[in-house]
């Protein structure tokens, strides 16, 4: 786990390479959204009716980025806020890499806070999700 003392504003965080995306994962995340509509995990169908961002894809990427932050800071900090933007669709066999950087470190009401910028990419520089995470250190 990364400790607060190890962080510097502007610092790049270690990468996390995820397993290749599977159809099973997309169906699972569609279920988590409580919406089993096939357009949420069937890219061809979603595109055919003009959708660019099926819910399951966004939830999958949010899950990956949440896992990324928890692997780096899980026992030493807690997520206070997580704002995510969906960037592009993923399809089965996409290889996702999560990365991030330290945006800001400050103290608020006696608590140590770090703000992170996090990204999930497929292929070189093709962002499928990005977000800002506010951590409070224990």
């Amino acid at each position: 786990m990364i400790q607060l003392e190890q962080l510097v504003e502007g610092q790049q965080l270690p990468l996390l390479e995820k397993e290749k995306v599977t159809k099973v994962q997309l169906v699972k995340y569609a279920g988590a959204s409580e919406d089993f509509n096939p357009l949420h995990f069937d890219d061809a169908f979603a595109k055919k009716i003009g959708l660019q961002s099926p819910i399951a894809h966004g939830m999958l990427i949010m899950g990956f980025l949440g896992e990324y932050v928890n692997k780096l800071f899980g026992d030493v900090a807690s997520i206070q806020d997580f704002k995510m933007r969906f960037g592009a669709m993923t399809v089965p066999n996409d290889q996702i890499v999560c990365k991030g950087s330290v945006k800001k470190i400050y103290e608020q009401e006696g608590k140590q806070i770090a703000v992170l910028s996090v990204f999930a990419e497929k292929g070189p520089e093709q962002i499928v999700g990005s977000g800002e995470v506010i951590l409070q250190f224990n």
Side-chain angles (χ1 to χ4, degrees):
M1 301 288 155
I2 297 176
Q3 304 293 320
L4 176 65
E5 302 79 37
Q6 297 171 291
L7 297 179
V8 178
E9 288 183 11
Q11 171 185 356
Q12 296 298 308
L13 298 170
L15 300 176
L16 172 65
E17 188 172 314
K18 293 293 299 166
E19 67 279 358
K20 289 186 176 183
V21 173
T22 67
K23 185 80 162 190
V24 170
Q25 287 173 311
L26 293 173
V27 171
K28 175 183 164 187
Y29 281 88
S33 73
E34 297 182 354
D35 190 340
F36 295 92
N37 189 321
L39 68 89
H40 294 304
F41 53 88
D42 185 328
D43 296 316
F45 183 67
K47 286 179 182 176
K48 185 176 180 178
I49 62 170
L51 291 179
Q52 294 300 311
S53 58
I55 288 171
H57 296 270
M59 290 189 70
L60 178 74
I61 295 305
M62 187 172 201
F64 283 176
L65 288 173
E67 177 189 8
Y68 172 63
V69 172
N70 281 327
K71 282 189 178 215
L72 294 176
F73 300 99
D75 291 339
V76 298
S78 57
I79 296 174
Q80 298 301 301
D81 196 13
F82 184 6
K83 296 177 180 145
M84 196 196 113
R85 292 167 298 286
F86 181 71
M89 271 195 250
T90 56
V91 295
N93 293 317
D94 278 350
Q95 185 70 52
I96 305 297
V97 176
C98 298
K99 64 183 189 176
S101 64
V102 180
K103 193 171 172 182
K104 184 177 178 181
I105 301 171
Y106 62 96
E107 187 174 320
Q108 180 179 349
E109 298 175 4
K111 304 284 185 179
Q112 296 298 317
I113 308 292
V115 180
L116 311 176
S117 290
V118 293
F119 302 90
E121 297 179 342
K122 68 175 183 177
E125 303 299 317
Q126 186 178 3
I127 295 174
V128 293
S130 61
E132 180 176 275
V133 179
I134 299 175
L135 293 178
Q136 178 179 307
F137 283 79
N138 305 328

